[in-house]
Amino acid sequence: MEVEHTLRRKWVGIVSRSHANRRSFNYFLFTLPALLLYLGFFIYPSILGVLYSLTDWDGLSKSYHFIGLDNYFAVFKDVRFGQALIFTFKYTIIAVILKIALALGLALLLNGNIKFRGFMRSVYFFPAVLSLITVGLIFNQIFYTILPKIGEQLGIEVLSKNILGDPDTAIFGLIIVNVWSGIAVPMVIFLAGLSSVPNDLHEAATIDGANSLQRFFSITLPFLIPMLNVNLVLSIKGGLTVFDSIVAMTQGGPGTATESIAYLIYAHGMNEFKFGYATAESIFIFIMIAFISFLQLKWLNKKEVGQL
Amino acid sequence: MKAKPAAQAFRYSILALGMIIIMIPMYLTITLAFKTTEESTKSFFSLPSSLYMGNIMTVIKKAGFWTYFQNSVVITIISLLLIMILVPMVSFAISRNFQKPYYKFIYYLMLAGIFVPFQVIMLPILQYTSDLNLMNHAGMIIMYVTLSLTEGIFLCVGFLKNIQFELDEASTIDGCNIWQTFTKIIFPLMTPITLTIVTLNSLWIWNDFVLPLILLNRSADVWTLPLFIYNFQSEYSFDYNLAFAGFFLTMLPIILLYGYMQRFLISGLTEGALK
């Protein structure tokens, strides 16, 4: 009797344990497709990238040599890379400030009770659904053919020159296009944040005699800090890897005036047969972006702990 | 709170100005697509006197617009279907086993993708996919699903924290295995976040230019729409009416879809952003 009981308890234990094992094995199966894809097509190519960056490979020939860190030293000495770095930072700073400021302004204007709110939101969001390559090509045609002809007809000197044809102004052509198409998403994120600001706080502050500027800085803005962080992270990463609009509009030119780092990597790796060298450049921008994202996340966490 | 009339007028005029700035390039694209060259040299901004279909027909017939449209549709839809199954699945397993080291590890491993810009793998996957014979639509789909994992898992695991574990346990007691618990209970509850992920990824995949440029630029019949319009423009840039007809046709599917789904689209993005 006693023996039988122990046996049965043991049996139940085995059954439920094998049941639990099967459960955890099934959970493991759930992760498998995603994990295999991620290891095979993200982690492995990243490791390959690091390896290639240590070689003199041109991307075509059958053999290549490991040359240690030579590519990295060469990148540091490369004037063209330095220029691309300066261009990328200049572009990022101007584009991020314009995007965030305009997106915030528009979100504030579109928030609350206004007429045609749904319609206006749809129009303002519209650029976000278009591909940047198409938008870039459209603006390219506008800058190249339409604006100069209008400038001629009206006799306006400034318009009659193609903004993309001058090394000093081409960057602003790119910024115009990216701001035109890149405001919508941060604007929607700000709108989402604005809808979380409690209305009674505003009313209480109005009763206490705060003007609209004071209300904005002491009530609205603190509620928007998380959205501001998200938008900063997204648009800084977008700015540092700017590529599509450059391919569509300037091809890095005139000369090398609008070569961003991402464009330079593409040009070196695909067209100029400096494959190993280009991967070293890509590792460089990886370190740069990882460092900047790390700083942002740290700052963001601090803000959240410190209650805005 | 009643705002002053002057302030309101200011607000509406700024908003109207902004809308004009957004609409002008669109207006030019649509009207120039239907004009002959002679007509558009006279005035860029006039409405077309008649709907001249020559440009549009050239893009459709000579340039093979339909093929590229179909390529884009196939790649986008298959990628989205895989994403909306795989991402919730792995997120479910991670969120229900987060105390175990394996699941914690793969979660952080996949989140680490946030720090890696696409440029790092751009050149390696060029070599890698050509070795594996994946410079085709299958390779594109594999890459899109892979690249969607980081953001998707981040959003889904965050969402799943708010779905109580008691639901899983109750369904287990009722005799459901994990697959049934997932398909019958958890997956339906994840609809809002799945829709957000599908929205974000559909915009990205449909409009993406870099990946087709790397993987598909070798043979014209596999191009997607963004790659087509880029190559079309470099071939026909001398005839800008034709170029604008190409831009117009490339944008037309998304314009129609947007007209139909815009409210849902904006709310889908907003919900994702709030999480």
Side-chain angles (χ1 to χ4, degrees), chain B residues 183-202:
Chain B
T183 51
K184 291 194 179 143
I185 297 170
I186 304 296
F187 190 68
L189 286 173
M190 291 178 76
T191 310
I193 198 70
T194 310
L195 287 179
T196 299
I197 288 169
V198 167
T199 313
L200 288 169
N201 283 305
S202 59

Side-chain angles (χ1 to χ4, degrees), chain B residues 13-263:
Chain B
S13 18
I14 297 280
L15 285 172
L17 182 71
M19 288 203 287
I20 291 170
I21 293 173
I22 287 172
M23 293 321 286
I24 282 179
M26 293 302 107
Y27 172 81
L28 283 171
T29 306
I30 295 170
T31 52
L32 285 172
F34 292 103
K35 284 185 192 174
T36 59
T37 320
E38 298 84 60
E39 201 186 344
S40 46
T41 12
K42 270 183 226 150
S43 166
F44 287 110
F45 287 96
S46 65
L47 280 167
S49 55
S50 62
L51 281 186
Y52 171 67
M53 296 300 287
N55 303 321
I56 303 278
M57 292 321 278
T58 312
V59 179
I60 291 177
K61 283 202 179 128
K62 233 165 106 188
F65 176 82
W66 279 118
T67 319
Y68 310 121
F69 174 72
Q70 282 166 3
N71 290 343
S72 272
V73 169
V74 167
I75 290 176
T76 308
I77 288 185
I78 298 181
S79 306
L80 288 178
L81 283 175
L82 288 171
I83 288 168
M84 65 184 278
I85 298 166
L86 288 188
V87 171
M89 256 172 70
V90 63
S91 308
F92 169 63
I94 289 173
S95 80
R96 266 44 185 168
N97 296 282
F98 203 67
Q99 72 286 2
K100 294 181 189 159
Y102 166 74
Y103 294 93
K104 210 172 221 168
F105 174 72
I106 58 171
Y107 179 65
Y108 287 118
L109 184 71
M110 292 190 184
L111 280 203
I114 291 175
F115 295 109
V116 185
F118 177 74
Q119 278 70 26
V120 171
I121 63 163
M122 179 172 86
L123 295 173
I125 60 164
L126 168 73
Q127 292 298 333
Y128 186 47
T129 52
S130 103
D131 290 347
L132 293 175
N133 210 1
L134 279 174
M135 294 185 102
N136 49 33
H137 293 175
M140 296 284 292
I141 292 165
I142 290 175
M143 285 316 297
Y144 282 132
V145 177
T146 307
L147 293 172
S148 78
L149 290 172
T150 296
E151 183 190 57
I153 288 171
F154 176 70
L155 290 173
C156 271
V157 171
F159 184 86
L160 279 165
K161 277 182 194 149
N162 299 324
I163 295 182
Q164 287 160 355
F165 285 34
E166 282 81 11
L167 279 173
D168 306 32
E169 282 159 20
S171 72
T172 315
I173 293 167
D174 289 347
C176 286
N177 60 34
I178 292 176
W179 178 248
Q180 288 164 328
T181 306
F182 176 69
T183 51
K184 291 194 179 143
I185 297 170
I186 304 296
F187 190 68
L189 286 173
M190 291 178 76
T191 310
I193 198 70
T194 310
L195 287 179
T196 299
I197 288 169
V198 167
T199 313
L200 288 169
N201 283 305
S202 59
L203 285 179
W204 162 54
I205 296 172
W206 181 265
N207 291 326
D208 183 42
F209 173 65
V210 192
L211 204 56
L213 181 70
I214 301 291
L215 294 191
L216 303 179
N217 211 7
R218 290 190 186 175
S219 57
D221 47 329
V222 292
W223 287 351
T224 59
L225 279 182
L227 192 57
F228 155 70
I229 197 62
Y230 170 65
N231 287 305
F232 179 77
Q233 143 90 17
S234 37
E235 201 176 329
Y236 292 93
S237 57
F238 55 88
D239 185 344
Y240 56 83
N241 286 92
L242 209 53
F244 276 107
F247 304 148
F248 171 67
L249 273 181
T250 313
M251 293 191 301
L252 192 60
I254 204 95
I255 293 176
L256 294 177
L257 202 65
Y258 184 63
Y260 184 63
M261 301 183 59
Q262 23 111 355
R263 260 158 221 284

Side-chain angles (χ1 to χ4, degrees), chain A residues 70-83:
Chain A
D70 284 5
N71 282 329
Y72 291 91
F73 296 133
V75 167
F76 276 116
K77 284 185 210 147
D78 189 347
V79 178
R80 195 168 160 203
F81 184 80
Q83 281 173 345

Side-chain angles (χ1 to χ4, degrees), chain A residues 31 111 115 122 124 192 237, chain B residues 11-12 15 102 114 258 262:
Chain A
T31 64
N111 190 44
K115 283 171 194 157
S122 309
Y124 275 109
K237 192 174 175 186
Chain B
R11 184 186 206 180
Y12 282 110
L15 285 172
Y102 166 74
I114 291 175
Y258 184 63
Q262 23 111 355

